[in-house]
């Protein structure tokens, strides 16, 4: 057998073992990798919810409500207007609240302030809160997203 | 022959243990002005042992679901005999462990013990500190109370700022888009299976490295002969452990760890919310950062800076050429004091309420 043949057989073996080792590792890791990532839960997208009652929301108060899986915030301004925003602080994901003493929206986590339009006015939040549309039907406050 | 001796001979004749005994007899620890610092690594290990034992005990009653977690901790604290004590010790010991680890790290840094040939010991130690912080962060959520819930929302949200893989990481960590019961179950698995396994392995490696290389000694020749490891050093270390145990028992008994209010995902974050003390300096820094820095989100810049700083600290054995040559390094000294003063002052000011 010539040395040339021997080398090529050796390199073939190397290649074969190397790639099958790689394939085995991949075949082991891939399912684990996919398993760790949780499956998407098919949730009917919530676009409109009954967020609260007008009679339970006097002027200069606020309320966190459930918008699908996420919190939203209803605000009744001191002048009596009702507004709704996403309740999730744009800084690092805390849930905001209405502070009657400041008369605006506040995030306790890093002292972030938003005005009554949901605009970030002080502290670390980098963006305004997403605003929702509010419809009042009788005493009921409905909030709609993406309008 | 007495029974003990017979057993010893039986084992020795099969396993050849004599060299090990000889080794233990000859092992010694340097003695000098600052040799007090050799005890803090061991003290950290002691608290880790306490964590393992109390952690296993807590597992007997704890239930890792959003519905049952809070109630099960409540049950441990109010109904199980000494349950309050076990939980309180677990919480306090976690804090003392991290405190001891910090002291250990800074003494190693200031004595320049991380330079060649001990780079690997420094790096395994740094990895262990990260794991300890991971323990603290994941364990904090397990009682499923209000503070923990928001601390976890904030902490995991930081992960989403990592370029490219951030969103993916966030989902893996939270077990979905939001912090839910799925997150709790994941954190539980991380806290009781993944982290303990990694930590145990790394501790073994860390100790093996120290064993192989011996303790670092300061430059100037020690005036005193080294101290025999066994029994002198071991007994002294045990004394330190006893002090640690006494401190732990006093803290756990007189300042029982509180449980707080059950987490409600649809309640606003409570006023006065803050993380554990060892994250306070980062927390307060994030609070001080403006919304935008050079057109980028403030928190992204802040987190990037923390990462860079941590990396710089981690890589000390590579940039500290002077100490590696056995010279004094003013730069390393300044870095050490800078970091120490920054952490201490921000933590203290936070407790004093200066950032409110
Ligand atoms: S999460 Fe709201 S200010 Fe940081």
């Amino acid at each position: 057998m010539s040395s040339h043949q021997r080398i090529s057989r050796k390199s073939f073996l190397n290649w074969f073992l190397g790639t099958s080792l790689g394939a085995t590792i991949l075949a082991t890791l891939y399912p684990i990798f996919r398993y760790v990532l949780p499956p998407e839960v098919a949730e009917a997208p919530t676009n409109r919810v009954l967020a609260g009652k007008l009679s339970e929301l006097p002027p200069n108060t606020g309320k966190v409500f459930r918008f699908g899986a996420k919190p939203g915030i209803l605000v009744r301004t001191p002048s009596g207007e009702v507004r709704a925003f996403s309740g999730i602080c744009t800084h690092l994901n805390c849930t905001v609240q209405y502070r009657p003493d400041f008369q605006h929206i506040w995030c306790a986590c890093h002292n972030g302030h938003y005005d009554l339009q949901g605009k970030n006015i002080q502290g670390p939040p980098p963006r305004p809160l997403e605003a929702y549309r509010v419809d009042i039907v009788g005493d009921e406050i409905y909030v709609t997203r993406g309008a | 022959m007495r029974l003990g001796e017979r057993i010893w001979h039986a084992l020795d004749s099969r396993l050849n243990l004599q060299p090990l005994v000889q080794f233990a007899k000859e092992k010694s620890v340097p003695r000098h002005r600052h040799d007090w610092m050799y005890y803090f690594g061991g003290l950290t290990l002691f608290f880790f042992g306490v964590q393992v034992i109390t952690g296993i005990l807590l597992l007997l009653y704890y239930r890792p679901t959003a519905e049952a977690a809070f109630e099960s901790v409540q049950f441990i604290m109010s109904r199980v005999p000494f349950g309050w004590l076990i939980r309180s010790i677990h919480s306090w010991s976690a804090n003392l462990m991290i405190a001891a680890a910090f002291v250990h790290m800074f003494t190693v840094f200031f004595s320049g013990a991380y330079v060649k040939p001990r780079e690997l010991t420094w790096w395994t130690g740094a990895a262990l500190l990260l794991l300890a912080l991971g323990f603290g962060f994941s364990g904090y959520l397990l009682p499923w109370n209000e503070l923990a819930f928001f601390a976890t929302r904030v902490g995991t949200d930081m992960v989403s700022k990592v370029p490219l893989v951030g969103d993916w990481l966030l989902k893996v960590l939270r077990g979905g888009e939001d912090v839910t019961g799925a997150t709790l179950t994941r954190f539980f698995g991380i806290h009781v299976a993944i982290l303990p396994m990694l930590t145990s392995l790394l501790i073994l490696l860390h100790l093996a490295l120290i064993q192989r290389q011996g303790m670092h000694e300061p430059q100037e020749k020690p005036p005193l002969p080294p101290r025999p490891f066994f029994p002198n050093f071991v007994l002294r270390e045990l004394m330190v452990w006893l002090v640690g145990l006494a401190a732990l028992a006093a803290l756990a008994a007189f300042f029982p760890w509180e449980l707080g209010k059950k987490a409600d995902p649809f309640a606003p974050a409570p006023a006065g919310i803050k993380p554990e003390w060892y994250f306070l300096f980062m927390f307060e820094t994030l609070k001080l950062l403006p919304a935008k820095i050079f057109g980028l989100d403030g928190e992204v810049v802040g987190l990037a800076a923390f990462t860079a700083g941590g990396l710089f600290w981690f890589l000390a054995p590579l940039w500290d050429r002077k100490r590696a040559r056995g010279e004094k390094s003013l730069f390393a000294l300044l870095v050490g004091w800078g970091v120490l003063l920054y952490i201490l002052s921000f933590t203290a000011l936070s407790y004093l309420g200066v950032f409110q």
Side-chain angles (χ1 to χ4, degrees):
Chain A
M1 204 194 292
S2 76
S3 79
H4 177 72
Q5 259 175 325
R6 209 175 308 147
I7 288 174
S8 73
R9 185 181 299 171
K10 203 171 142 194
S11 61
F12 170 75
L13 262 179
N14 274 344
W15 170 84
F16 180 74
L17 290 178
T19 45
S20 41
L21 182 68
T24 312
I25 292 176
L26 264 184
T28 316
L29 287 187
Y30 182 70
I32 297 180
F33 180 80
R34 289 304 304 268
Y35 181 89
V36 161
L37 194 69
E40 297 293 338
V41 209
E43 228 183 297
T46 332
N47 278 324
R48 186 179 162 88
V49 293
L50 172 60
K53 296 232 157 67
L54 204 52
S55 52
E56 287 162 6
L57 201 66
N60 199 26
T61 57
K63 176 195 169 197
V64 174
F65 65 95
R66 249 185 125 105
F67 206 156
K70 314 248 185 216
I73 185 165
L74 265 186
V75 170
R76 184 118 187 236
T77 64
S79 59
E81 249 183 281
V82 180
R83 293 186 191 147
F85 306 95
S86 151
I88 299 178
C89 182
T90 56
H91 182 227
L92 290 171
N93 210 246
C94 272
T95 306
V96 296
Q97 59 184 286
Y98 183 76
R99 280 280 294 256
D101 49 341
F102 298 155
Q103 304 204 340
H104 63 228
I105 300 168
W106 179 66
C107 177
C109 285
H110 309 93
N111 199 17
H113 297 254
Y114 299 89
D115 68 10
L116 290 173
Q117 314 290 341
K119 197 172 151 340
N120 48 320
I121 47 172
Q122 203 194 317
R127 269 173 295 279
L129 297 170
E130 191 192 340
Y132 301 142
R133 203 181 75 207
V134 175
D135 298 307
I136 298 173
V137 183
D139 189 33
E140 295 177 337
I141 307 171
Y142 288 92
V143 171
T144 316
R145 174 171 18 215
Chain B
M1 252 196 286
R2 288 218 316 273
L3 182 64
E5 273 174 51
R6 290 231 315 259
I7 293 177
W8 167 251
H9 278 293
L11 287 177
D12 187 32
S13 65
R14 286 165 179 80
L15 303 171
N16 188 22
L17 296 174
Q18 209 53 54
L20 283 181
V21 175
Q22 202 49 41
F23 176 79
K25 272 189 188 151
E26 279 161 20
K27 186 174 161 58
S28 65
V29 177
R31 206 175 341 173
H32 51 85
R33 207 149 48 98
H34 297 301
D35 60 8
W36 54 268
M37 67 188 198
Y38 293 142
Y39 300 97
F40 279 90
L43 186 61
T44 315
L45 182 64
F46 168 73
F47 288 127
F48 180 71
V50 173
Q51 288 310 87
V52 172
I53 295 168
T54 49
I56 291 174
L57 289 173
L58 289 172
L59 274 179
L60 300 184
Y61 296 100
Y62 178 72
R63 283 176 290 159
T65 65
E67 294 73 35
F70 184 84
E71 283 77 6
S72 70
V73 178
Q74 220 166 25
F75 180 77
I76 291 173
M77 289 172 68
S78 56
R79 300 283 303 283
V80 181
F82 292 107
W84 64 274
L85 185 64
I86 302 290
R87 168 166 189 254
S88 195
I89 289 183
H90 195 71
S91 306
W92 274 111
S93 172
N95 284 280
L96 293 180
M97 177 175 90
I98 288 180
F102 266 110
V103 175
H104 178 53
M105 178 181 78
F106 277 106
T107 58
V108 167
F109 186 89
F110 282 116
S111 59
Y114 52 76
V115 296
K116 192 180 171 195
R118 294 185 175 78
E119 302 98 320
L120 278 176
T121 319
W122 173 254
W123 287 329
T124 48
L128 279 167
L129 182 69
L130 281 186
L131 289 174
L133 295 178
F135 263 120
F137 183 64
S138 57
Y140 198 55
L141 179 67
L142 298 186
W144 198 245
N145 57 26
E146 222 179 19
L147 289 182
F149 178 77
F150 285 105
T152 307
R153 284 249 301 251
V154 170
T156 48
D157 196 61
M158 291 179 186
V159 170
S160 72
K161 315 282 177 195
V162 176
L164 302 178
V165 291
D167 285 326
W168 182 84
L169 272 180
L170 180 78
K171 268 195 205 149
V172 169
L173 211 54
R174 286 186 176 174
E177 290 269 325
D178 302 290
V179 174
T180 59
T183 320
L184 178 64
T185 308
R186 271 182 190 222
F187 272 38
F188 175 71
I190 293 172
H191 191 79
V192 307
I194 297 177
L195 292 177
M197 181 184 68
L198 291 177
T199 306
S200 306
L201 287 175
L202 269 179
I203 288 178
L204 284 180
L205 184 59
H206 194 68
L207 291 178
L209 288 168
I210 297 164
Q211 187 53 61
R212 187 87 184 126
Q213 300 178 320
M215 299 261 199
H216 167 84
E217 284 178 49
Q219 275 304 304
E220 56 271 23
K221 262 268 140 280
L224 300 163
R227 176 176 282 132
F229 182 76
F230 199 82
N232 304 37
F233 184 81
V234 170
L235 285 178
R236 285 167 158 256
E237 180 77 67
L238 281 179
M239 288 301 293
V240 175
W241 289 16
L242 266 182
V243 174
L245 183 65
L248 183 57
L251 287 168
F254 293 120
F255 304 96
W257 207 265
E258 297 200 2
L259 179 53
K261 264 173 53 189
K262 183 172 175 169
D264 173 0
F266 291 96
I273 182 171
K274 61 178 175 183
E276 297 268 63
W277 58 269
Y278 41 85
F279 292 126
L280 274 180
F281 69 98
M282 288 194 251
F283 167 76
E284 299 293 3
T285 311
L286 282 177
K287 251 161 85 173
L288 289 182
L289 291 178
K292 296 277 180 193
I293 302 173
F294 309 126
L296 291 166
D297 288 3
E299 77 275 8
V300 175
V301 177
L303 292 172
F306 277 125
T307 312
L311 206 61
F312 183 69
W313 185 254
F314 182 77
L315 293 179
L318 299 186
W319 52 253
D320 195 351
R321 296 259 150 249
K322 271 200 154 167
R323 277 169 160 182
R325 286 194 301 265
E327 297 163 26
K328 282 206 180 351
S329 162
L330 183 65
F331 178 68
L333 204 64
L334 286 178
V335 170
W337 277 107
V339 171
L340 186 62
L341 286 181
Y342 163 59
I343 294 181
L344 284 182
S345 60
F346 266 59
T347 311
L349 290 177
S350 174
Y351 274 107
L352 293 174
V354 173
F355 297 110
Q356 302 280 295

